[in-house]
Amino acid sequence: MSTVAMNELWAYLKSLSLSAGNKAWLAERLIESSRADKLAETDEFACFSGSWGEDMPVNEYAESLRSAHVDEARAVETW
């Protein structure tokens, strides 16, 4: 968001005549959001979230992993 847009947002928020409770609520939500964003940026395992095999059954996905690089792989016993 650009500086101009941030200033416009700030002017809009100031024009709302929020109560102290509303300001505290808004501040808490902004801080929570900021912490979540920072956590996502620093979570080195965040890129591994989700299902690697999508809708593929587990056994089929395991077999595809075993057969992907046959020339480079060592022998692995099946389950």
Side-chain angles (χ1 to χ4, degrees):
M1 187 176 256
S2 70
T3 304
V4 173
M6 292 293 289
N7 287 333
E8 289 176 6
L9 177 60
W10 178 244
Y12 172 72
L13 289 172
K14 287 187 344 183
S15 73
L16 292 178
S17 301
L18 297 173
S19 69
N22 292 64
K23 289 178 184 179
W25 179 88
L26 179 60
E28 288 172 11
R29 295 309 170 278
L30 289 171
I31 290 170
E32 286 174 11
S33 175
S34 175
R35 286 182 181 152
D37 291 345
K38 285 181 183 177
L39 179 61
E41 290 172 3
T42 59
D43 185 4
E44 57 199 39
F45 297 108
C47 63
F48 296 116
S49 65
S51 174
W52 291 354
E54 297 180 12
D55 294 332
M56 193 182 303
V58 174
N59 291 336
E60 185 179 330
Y61 185 65
E63 184 57 37
S64 73
L65 289 176
R66 282 190 207 97
S67 63
H69 299 285
V70 175
D71 298 334
E72 305 167 13
R74 60 182 171 79
V76 178
E77 294 181 24
T78 59
W79 303 342

